[in-house]
């Protein structure tokens, strides 16, 4: 096997050392340090980010925007340092750095209105979150989260909340096709840019390094979609960034009709894309009822390939077990099922039960309750309305009386098995004596998916573009993913994790959050998704708005940005079942989970803008409101947010904060008496005080906050780039 160049250089160093020639070994090391091995690109391409919304202060590095009505030019890309501020006018001096083209301009004045702060990617910043809206239909379920802001800074902030805790990251980054579909340093990158590939790889590497720190090292997955323009480079980059991880690439058909690749003749017609899976720790692909490859029927239509067949239907327990699946977690899934004891048949399904008493009989019938073997109260897999539909078709029944749990055992068929029955892939011969369907001679057995996917449901046009148009009343978004494609992709890694945390930091239209809510609907899970997007407008809209005298930050501009115009309205529409105009969404969800889109989801969602703070406000300790949502996120994104400082301490549904250490005794008592808390935050600069409070609080997670709150996040940002 051929040795790598890096290995050969190392052999030379070791040989020189054995010969006692330390000078030669040192020279070889110096030579090796000046060379790059593996994927070669300019890692240190400068990436500067405009901090829209940040109040400009003295010493800030800024750019001067062109006057309203004019497009940006070379002058608006020059960097200046704010030397002084008088009223609404700033005095600027040229900012010079080896990372940028020198600014040779003379000192000048500019209106604060025309300035925007700029930061290098590795410059520590003070970021916070400001809530911009929410939608609530999920009771006490955790919230789906949408963050509008620069994704690099958002990832830095999320490190405080979720370092090592994310179960799945799904991203669909810009494909770098040369079509001016993404920006670097606030400029569109097109096919004529000689540094196009280095810029793309540098941008991706920085974010992948942060993503790696967010993923659970013992069991998690990074999923990244890409097309043929960068799939080879991305594969090498993933190998360098995630050494020792299991990496696999699959091919997925997303556009069966095909599209041309470039203007020149002679290319193959492109029908799909590639998906990389990077698995950390013990993470493995979960079997499913479909292999992801179709078969062709006699009439030429495509259908999902049936997995291997075995005798007998595969019935599942209707009792949802596992950690977190308690009565309090999903109250609408706790209800009585009335049983005819003589025939062992389900008579009716009750409404959600709120009483503390659990009667053995109701209306003269025995009752099945969702009770675990240890006697704790759990929940059923489906809501009462869904169970009633299953009963009507024979997809649920009483299997036996469970003496260990002192209640009845209920079995049901999962949606995949139901799909196969109703499509004719599995034939049903009769109805059993307890009301259940009986298979003729076969049933589905799950199998591992193939490495080539060709699913009708993954068509990006019908299940992506058309769906977004339907949900948003005609609003268009370029190339949204098929909802069912993302749903299936994520399913293979979170099917057995009902409380999984999923992150998408190139979220675009919000398909990943929509897919996570679909998965929750199918099995009663409480998975949550954090979507990070920006509020960029398209190139055409930017030109039009600029001619109208608008700028980034103006209401007319922001209204048409991706987050405000597409992402937030889509998430809200998915939950409420209504378009932004208030009309019921037309059409039905298809495939694994079929129901009217107008039904919506029993979910909660909250929307945030990423904000930037002045260091002065941080040092004065006046920035708690900006970090309040980050504390809430770290505590599980459920219940009330402690939005403001409160006298002494505050206790919410999921967490508690000690603001004044003199209240530590009362705080410890309040935490011990509260239920459902996941962590406690201690505000103190004194390490000894923090250790003492942590010891008194026992097993609950304790997190230290500095008295100048955002200092904690500045430090996190500094650590992120080391």
């Amino acid at each position: 096997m051929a040795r790598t160049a890096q290995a050969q250089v190392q052999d030379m160093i070791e040989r020189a050392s054995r010969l006692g020639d330390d000078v030669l070994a040192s020279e070889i090391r110096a030579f090796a340090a000046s060379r790059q091995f593996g994927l070669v690109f300019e890692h240190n391409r400068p990436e500067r980010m405009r901090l829209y919304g940040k109040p400009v202060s003295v010493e800030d590095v800024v750019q001067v925007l062109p006057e309203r009505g004019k497009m940006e030019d070379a002058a608006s890309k020059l960097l200046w340092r704010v030397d002084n501020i008088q009223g609404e006018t700033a005095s600027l001096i040229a900012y010079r750095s080896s990372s940028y083209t020198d600014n040779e301009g003379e000192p000048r004045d500019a209106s604060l209105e025309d300035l925007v702060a700029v930061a290098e990617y590795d410059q520590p910043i003070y970021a916070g979150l400001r809530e911009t809206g929410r939608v609530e239909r999920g009771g006490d379920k955790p919230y789906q989260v949408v963050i509008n802001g620069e994704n690099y800074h958002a990832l830095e902030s999320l490190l405080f909340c979720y370092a090592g805790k994310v179960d799945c990251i799904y991203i669909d980054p810009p494909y770098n096709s040369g079509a001016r579909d993404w920006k670097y340093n606030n400029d569109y990158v097109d096919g004529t840019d000689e540094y196009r590939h280095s810029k793309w790889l540098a941008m991706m590497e920085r974010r992948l390094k942060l993503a790696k720190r967010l993923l659970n090292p013992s069991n998690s997955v990074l999923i990244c979609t890409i097309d043929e323009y960068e799939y080879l480079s991305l594969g090498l980059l993933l190998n360098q960034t995630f050494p020792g991880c299991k990496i696999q690439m699959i091919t997925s058909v997303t556009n069966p009709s095909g599209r041309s690749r470039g203007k020149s003749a002679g290319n193959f017609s492109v029908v799909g894309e590639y998906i990389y899976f990077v698995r950390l720790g013990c993470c493995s692909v979960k079997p499913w009822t479909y292999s992801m490859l179709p078969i062709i029927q006699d009439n030429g239509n495509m259908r999902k390939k049936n997995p291997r067949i075995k005798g007998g239907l595969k019935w599942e327990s209707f009792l949802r077990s596992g950690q977190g699946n308690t009565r309090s977690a999903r109250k609408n899934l706790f209800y009585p099922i009335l049983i005819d004891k003589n025939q062992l048949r389900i008579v009716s399904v009750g409404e959600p039960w709120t009483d503390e008493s659990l009667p053995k009989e109701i209306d003269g019938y025995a009752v099945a309750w969702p009770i675990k073997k240890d006697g704790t109260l759990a929940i059923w897999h489906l809501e009462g309305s869904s169970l009633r539909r299953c009963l009507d078709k024979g997809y649920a029944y009483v299997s036996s009386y469970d003496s260990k749990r002192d209640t009845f055992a209920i079995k049901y068929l999962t949606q995949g098995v139901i799909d196969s029955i109703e499509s004719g892939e599995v034939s049903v011969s009769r109805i059993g004596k307890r009301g259940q369907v009986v298979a003729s001679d076969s049933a589905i057995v799950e199998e591992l998916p193939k490495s080539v996917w060709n699913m009708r449901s993954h068509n990006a046009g019908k299940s992506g573009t058309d769906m977004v148009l339907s949900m948003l009343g005609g609003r268009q978004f370029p190339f949204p993913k098929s909802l069912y494609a993302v749903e299936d992709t994520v399913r293979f890694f979170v099917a057995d994790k009902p409380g999984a945390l999923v992150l998408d930091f190139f979220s675009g239209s919000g398909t990943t959050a929509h897919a996570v809510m679909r998965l929750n609907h199918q099995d009663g899970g409480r998975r949550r998704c954090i979507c990070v997007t920006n509020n960029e407008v398209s190139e055409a809209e930017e030109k039009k708005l600029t001619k109208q005298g608008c700028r980034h930050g103006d209401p007319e501009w922001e209204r048409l940005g991706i987050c405000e115009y597409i992402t937030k309205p889509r998430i809200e529409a998915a939950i409420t079942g209504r378009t932004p105009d208030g009309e019921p969404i037309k059409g039905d969800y298809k495939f694994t989970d079929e129901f009217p889109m107008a039904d919506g989801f029993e979910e909660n969602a909250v929307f945030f803008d990423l904000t930037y703070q002045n260091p002065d406000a941080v040092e004065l300790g006046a920035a708690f409101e900006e970090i309040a949502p980050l504390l809430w996120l770290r505590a599980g994104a459920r219940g009330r947010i402690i939005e403001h400082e409160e006298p002494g301490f505050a206790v919410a549904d999921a967490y508690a904060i000690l603001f004044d250490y003199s209240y530590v005794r009362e705080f410890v008592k309040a935490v011990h008496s509260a239920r459902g808390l996941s962590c406690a935050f201690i505000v103190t600069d004194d390490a000894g005080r923090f250790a003492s409070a942590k010891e008194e609080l026992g097993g609950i997670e304790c997190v230290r906050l500095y008295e100048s709150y955002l200092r904690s996040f500045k430090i996190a940002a500094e650590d992120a780039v080391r």
Side-chain angles (χ1 to χ4, degrees):
M1 181 180 295
R3 302 292 306 285
T4 66
Q6 191 171 9
Q8 292 175 0
V9 170
Q10 186 60 36
D11 286 346
M12 293 171 62
I13 294 173
E14 293 176 358
R15 194 176 303 123
S17 297
R18 286 196 299 270
L19 294 173
D21 196 335
D22 294 335
V23 174
L24 177 60
S26 177
E27 291 180 353
I28 296 173
R29 287 192 187 92
F31 171 80
S34 68
R35 296 295 184 268
Q36 183 178 340
F37 301 97
L39 180 62
V40 178
F41 66 96
E42 295 192 39
H43 296 261
N44 295 318
R45 290 296 304 169
E47 184 178 357
R48 57 184 179 267
M49 303 165 188
R50 285 183 173 177
L51 310 183
Y52 288 109
K54 178 187 180 301
V56 172
S57 58
V58 175
E59 297 300 318
D60 276 357
V61 176
V62 299
Q63 291 176 335
V64 182
L65 299 174
E67 64 181 89
R68 289 182 179 272
K70 292 186 178 181
M71 297 294 294
E72 299 221 20
D73 53 19
S76 61
K77 303 299 188 293
L78 295 176
L79 298 176
W80 303 85
R81 186 180 292 281
V82 178
D83 187 51
N84 189 28
I85 295 177
Q86 292 290 334
E88 296 300 315
T89 301
S91 300
L92 309 178
I93 56 176
Y95 176 76
R96 294 179 175 85
S97 167
S98 58
S99 300
Y100 305 122
T101 302
D102 282 346
N103 180 0
E104 301 297 338
E106 295 295 322
R108 57 172 295 189
D109 291 342
S111 170
L112 287 176
E113 181 190 30
D114 295 333
L115 302 183
V116 57
V118 177
E120 181 74 47
Y121 79 93
D122 58 354
Q123 177 181 339
I125 47 87
Y126 298 95
L129 296 175
R130 181 179 64 250
E131 183 177 334
T132 60
R134 61 175 59 197
V135 55
E136 297 173 319
R137 287 191 72 200
D140 62 353
K141 292 182 68 173
Y143 285 68
Q144 312 299 330
V145 176
V146 176
I147 298 175
N148 168 29
E150 163 56 50
N151 62 4
Y152 185 87
H153 291 153
L155 289 172
E156 283 186 324
S157 297
L158 289 174
L159 279 172
F160 169 80
C161 309
Y162 299 124
K165 296 180 180 179
V166 175
D167 298 290
C168 172
I169 293 179
Y170 177 100
I171 54 174
D172 179 37
Y175 284 179
N176 199 24
S177 63
R180 295 174 64 84
D181 62 340
W182 69 289
K183 286 184 174 182
Y184 194 85
N185 291 344
N186 208 51
D187 286 327
Y188 283 103
V189 179
D190 59 31
T192 63
D193 191 323
E194 61 181 315
Y195 293 107
R196 176 162 62 98
H197 295 289
S198 279
K199 287 179 177 179
W200 189 86
L201 286 166
M203 180 272 295
M204 287 296 296
E205 182 183 48
R206 289 161 188 155
R207 287 152 182 81
L208 287 173
K209 285 182 176 179
L210 294 178
K212 182 180 180 181
R213 296 184 59 190
L214 286 163
L215 287 165
N216 179 352
S218 63
N219 184 356
S220 63
V221 64
L222 168 74
I223 305 170
C224 185
T225 63
I226 198 68
D227 74 357
E228 69 273 17
Y229 288 98
E230 293 286 4
Y231 82 99
L232 291 172
S233 299
L234 177 62
L236 291 171
L237 180 61
L238 291 172
N239 272 287
Q240 284 187 183
T241 309
F242 295 89
C245 293
K246 300 173 282 293
I247 301 178
Q248 191 172 14
M249 185 186 77
I250 67 99
T251 303
S252 178
V253 176
T254 58
N255 181 14
S257 58
R259 61 175 174 82
S260 61
R261 200 247 198 240
K263 297 181 180 179
S264 59
N267 291 319
F268 291 104
S269 180
V270 178
V271 298
E273 62 187 9
Y274 306 104
I275 309 178
Y276 278 103
F277 296 89
V278 182
R279 291 182 285 129
L280 283 67
C282 65
C283 180
S284 61
V285 181
K286 303 300 181 292
W288 195 33
T289 52
Y290 299 116
S291 70
M292 308 301 284
L293 271 175
I295 60 174
I296 306 297
Q297 294 178 313
D298 292 339
N299 61 6
N301 293 326
M302 302 282 266
R303 66 182 175 91
K304 297 177 183 177
K305 182 180 178 183
N306 194 35
R308 291 166 289 130
I309 300 299
K310 249 184 184 180
L313 286 171
K314 185 179 180 183
W315 295 90
E316 301 285 351
S317 171
F318 195 57
L319 175 68
R320 175 166 291 283
S321 58
Q323 186 177 4
N325 291 316
T326 61
R327 178 183 184 178
S328 60
R330 190 84 182 269
K331 296 178 181 178
N332 61 322
L333 292 179
F334 187 90
Y335 52 83
I337 301 174
L338 277 58
I339 310 293
D340 182 329
K341 290 193 295 185
N342 296 325
Q343 298 184 37
L344 274 185
R345 292 191 65 155
I346 297 175
V347 175
S348 64
V349 177
E351 297 300 320
W353 194 263
T354 58
D355 291 350
E356 291 301 318
S357 62
L358 303 180
K360 294 288 186 180
E361 289 189 358
I362 295 178
D363 296 334
Y365 293 104
V367 181
W369 296 102
I371 301 174
K372 298 182 183 180
K373 290 182 179 179
D374 62 3
T376 58
L377 302 182
I379 52 178
W380 300 122
H381 265 281
L382 302 175
E383 296 173 6
S385 58
S386 298
L387 176 58
R388 293 184 190 102
R389 289 194 292 268
C390 286
L391 290 172
D392 290 342
K393 296 186 177 182
Y395 299 152
Y397 75 104
V398 182
S399 65
S400 64
Y401 179 79
D402 189 335
S403 59
K404 292 183 178 179
R405 295 188 300 116
D406 191 24
T407 190
F408 294 87
I410 310 296
K411 298 288 187 181
Y412 83 118
L413 296 177
T414 59
Q415 191 63 47
V417 179
I418 293 173
D419 288 345
S420 295
I421 292 174
E422 298 188 347
S423 68
E425 294 175 17
V426 172
S427 59
V428 175
S429 61
R430 59 188 174 86
I431 297 294
K433 63 180 181 179
R434 297 179 187 173
Q436 80 277 27
V437 294
V438 178
S440 298
D441 55 7
S442 61
I444 292 177
V445 175
E446 294 180 338
E447 66 173 310
L448 288 172
K450 309 299 184 189
S451 60
V452 176
W453 297 357
N454 189 6
M455 303 286 282
R456 181 165 56 94
S457 58
H458 292 193
N459 187 306
K462 294 181 179 180
S463 302
T465 301
D466 292 351
M467 181 177 288
V468 171
L469 284 170
S470 176
M471 295 180 68
L472 299 184
R475 298 185 187 185
Q476 296 185 347
F477 179 79
F479 312 117
K481 293 291 185 190
S482 160
L483 170 64
Y484 310 114
V486 179
E487 175 187 323
D488 289 346
T489 305
V490 173
R491 180 198 317 279
F492 294 126
F493 303 95
V494 302
D496 61 342
K497 297 177 181 178
L501 175 60
V502 180
L503 169 64
D504 181 351
F505 53 89
F506 285 102
S507 72
S509 68
T511 307
T512 306
H514 197 169
V516 168
M517 291 190 288
R518 276 262 303 179
L519 292 171
N520 285 343
H521 187 270
Q522 291 162 27
D523 63 8
R526 294 166 65 88
R527 301 173 188 87
R528 52 198 172 100
C529 180
I530 298 177
C531 284
V532 181
T533 186
N534 57 42
N535 207 38
E536 293 284 355
V537 299
S538 69
E539 185 177 17
E541 288 170 334
E542 182 175 340
K543 291 178 179 179
K544 181 180 178 180
L545 289 165
T546 300
K547 288 182 179 179
Q548 295 172 355
C550 298
R551 280 179 177 169
H552 196 301
D554 292 344
E556 299 85 353
W557 186 294
E558 298 302 314
R559 180 177 60 84
L560 295 177
I562 293 172
C563 187
E564 292 295 330
Y565 194 64
I566 299 293
T567 317
K568 289 167 60 175
R570 183 206 181 144
I571 301 303
E572 184 168 356
I575 293 174
T576 63
R578 295 185 174 273
T579 69
D581 295 328
E583 296 297 323
I585 301 173
K586 297 179 180 178
D588 299 331
Y589 289 112
K590 301 295 185 182
F591 307 105
T592 306
D593 192 11
E594 299 189 6
F595 61 97
M597 296 178 70
D599 284 358
F601 296 99
E602 291 187 350
E603 295 282 352
N604 303 313
V606 64
F607 311 113
F608 296 109
D609 280 349
L610 192 70
T611 63
Y612 300 98
Q613 303 305 306
N614 274 328
D616 290 344
V618 175
E619 292 305 322
L620 292 173
F624 178 77
E625 287 78 7
E626 302 298 330
I627 69 160
L630 291 169
L631 307 184
W632 176 75
L633 286 175
R634 179 160 182 163
R638 61 182 178 86
R640 179 175 73 93
I641 299 177
I642 300 173
E643 298 178 340
H644 310 288
E645 289 188 61
E646 299 181 19
F649 62 90
V651 179
D653 304 73
Y655 66 110
I657 306 175
L658 175 62
F659 293 104
D660 184 342
Y661 196 82
S662 65
Y663 286 81
V664 65
R665 298 298 176 199
E666 297 91 334
F667 178 72
V668 170
K669 183 178 179 180
V671 169
H672 283 314
S673 62
R675 293 183 178 181
L677 299 187
S678 60
C679 62
F681 297 94
I682 315 296
V683 179
T684 179
D685 289 344
D686 190 308
R689 284 185 168 184
F690 172 73
S692 176
K694 181 178 180 180
E695 182 177 359
E696 289 194 55
L697 288 170
I700 191 171
E701 179 190 10
C702 293
V703 181
R704 179 183 176 190
L705 290 179
Y706 289 92
E707 293 173 15
S708 55
Y709 297 111
L710 285 176
R711 182 182 167 202
S712 305
F713 303 94
K714 175 179 181 290
I715 292 171
E718 289 173 337
D719 291 342
V721 298
R722 286 175 183 167

